[in-house]
Amino acid sequence: MNRTTTPPEASPRSRTARGPDDGPGGPGGPGGPRGPRTWIGAQTFSVGFVAKLVLVGLVDALGVYGVLASAAQQQWGVLAFLVAALLVVNVVYFSRRAVPAKYLVPGLIFLLVYQVFVVAYTGWTAFTNYGDGHNSTRADAVEAILIQDEARVADSPTYPLSVVTRGDELAFAVVDPDGDALLGAAEQPLAPAEGADVEGGRVVAVDGYEVLDFAQVVARQSEVFAMRVPMSDDPNDGSLRTTDGSSGYVYASTMVYDEAAGTITDTTTGTVYTADESEGSFVAADGTALGTGWRVFVGFENFARVLTDGSLRGPFVGVLLWTFGFAIGSVVLTFGLGLFLAITLNDWRVRGRTVYRSLLILPYAFPAFLSALVWRGMLNRDFGFVNQTLLGGAEIPWLTDPVLAKVAVLTVNLWLGFPYMFLICTGALQSIPHEVYEAGRLDGAKPWRMFRSLTMPLLLVSTAPLLISSFAFNFNNFNVVYLTTEGGPQDLSAPVDVGASDILITFVYKIAFGGVNRQYGLACAISILIFLIVATISAISFRKTRALEELS
């Protein structure tokens, strides 16, 4: 007996899941193949997608430029980071499954570049001798030493010289004693000039270059006279230079470098300087070193110098003590004034409290650097507003006296900082329940006892973390000190560049960027010490403030 089976009707879910082309002959039916959806097919070319495509394309273009530039400078770490970042950006922003990463990736990249990299590079630099005279490789140091001691070679031939240019690059085209045309630039030793035309013993044309006339040479004479073209790849062969733009002369260094022995010999005195890899310098037998060296790893030497070098230890300790005084004094003064004003204006009996509160936050609304510069002008001894108007023509040296300069920076910081403390104290006071004060009054507590036993403990519950962060901020408050006094007045008795009002961060700035002997490695070492000091004090303070949590 034949039994006919009627297929069950497809459920609404199955009908919905099938597309219109899933029937016979369609891509999903028996008559046609059905393959997986591709990435291109999954995208909808909407306006948003096109905008995303353009933005990611711009990021890729900048990234590729950075990759090429890094490769040219042989910065392989930067190159690897850029390649990885480009891959992550393209995968994340063209994937439908990485929605959370689309919000995290930009911030993560900026965090790595502006925080992690900076901290890591600072830490690495602190363990090197990086600074003036030690800022490159040993090969660059040798080249610089040979250049510094160059002198014209006696009885050397005179080379008829033409100044040529290709774009912005200058070059020398000369004719040697054999009549051959040579071409060279600052980074290109002299070599035969292909396609050069020589007339009257002088090069008049070079393929791909423009020969400068007298007026053009005069217009760029500072560049022409400072330019040196290596005679060959060997730095001991000297260089070709000109003093008039028409004749070239051979200059050779009085120093001779022996690459195999790793020594530099001063031919005028016979002194031999041997490469010392532990110091990154060429050092003679008597301990004298050449001024130009190279960057090397020195371990904890920079940290040890801060504590053992007499020229640094005294100024460092003095600056450290004043930094603590400045940071603590700033917190105490700003918090004290802010709290006093907050309590005063929190009293309902004071009329116009809204107006007063608006006026008191005005210093907080102005840019801090602008306020510091205004205060600097007001505190000027000769024509400042404070001396001339408020003090009737007095000549008080607010910015040039060691003690008054410290008073000045504390005053300026008080002006800039009390509105912030006023705001947070006002908010904290208004969050204290009135029932607490009612209970205190019922117990017979006087106003001072209520302030000491009720207001301050409850106030510190919310303000203690802010006071700790304020201390950390003022410990590194570069702007107020530098814009007001520049760390001065300078202590002329100190062996280093340090002033009476310098705090650690301005002291570090002067070591790294002030004067003629910039010591980046030492500055980074002191920066790490600053971080350790602030981190330790903050950690201890936060642990102490946990006791206040029980009051809340």
Side-chain angles (χ1 to χ4, degrees), residues 2 129 257 372 534:
N2 295 331
N129 64 343
Y257 175 58
V534 174

Side-chain angles (χ1 to χ4, degrees), residues 287-498:
T288 59
L290 296 177
T292 303
W294 59 96
R295 183 165 47 184
V296 294
F297 183 81
V298 296
F300 289 91
E301 181 179 332
N302 289 322
F303 297 92
R305 284 183 60 193
V306 176
L307 302 176
T308 60
D309 189 341
S311 62
L312 282 173
R313 184 177 62 248
F316 174 78
V317 172
V319 171
L320 177 63
L321 294 177
W322 162 237
T323 303
F324 274 105
F326 172 76
I328 296 173
S330 295
V331 173
V332 171
L333 291 175
T334 55
F335 180 72
L337 181 58
L339 177 60
F340 170 76
L341 295 174
I343 292 176
T344 302
L345 296 181
N346 199 48
D347 193 329
W348 61 271
R349 294 172 295 181
V350 177
R351 298 182 178 180
R353 290 185 296 170
T354 303
V355 176
Y356 291 138
R357 286 171 177 167
S358 301
L359 293 175
L360 287 175
I361 65 173
L362 284 180
Y364 196 52
F366 286 98
F369 78 94
L370 182 60
S371 297
L373 293 176
V374 171
W375 271 99
R376 180 174 181 172
M378 292 172 58
L379 293 173
N380 186 276
R381 184 185 65 179
D382 299 322
F383 52 83
F385 177 81
V386 174
N387 281 346
Q388 296 300 316
T389 303
L390 298 182
L391 301 179
E395 295 183 356
I396 300 176
W398 295 104
L399 305 178
T400 56
D401 180 80
V403 176
L404 293 179
K406 295 178 180 180
V407 174
V409 293
L410 283 173
T411 302
V412 174
N413 208 28
L414 174 62
W415 169 264
L416 295 174
F418 87 86
Y420 172 73
M421 294 297 181
F422 166 70
L423 289 176
I424 64 173
C425 288
T426 299
L429 288 173
Q430 293 179 351
S431 65
I432 299 176
H434 291 286
E435 292 79 3
V436 174
Y437 293 109
E438 292 296 336
R441 293 189 185 96
L442 291 177
D443 290 339
K446 301 297 182 181
W448 170 248
R449 179 59 185 273
M450 292 177 62
F451 173 78
R452 184 168 58 87
S453 301
L454 296 178
T455 304
M456 278 302 296
L458 294 174
L459 193 68
L460 290 175
V461 171
S462 56
T463 59
L466 299 177
L467 294 178
I468 297 172
S469 64
S470 178
F471 170 83
F473 172 79
N474 284 293
F475 203 88
N476 291 305
N477 198 339
F478 176 87
N479 289 342
V480 168
V481 175
Y482 199 79
L483 292 176
T484 305
T485 64
E486 295 185 0
Q490 185 176 1
D491 184 0
L492 299 178
S493 63
V496 294
D497 184 9
V498 63

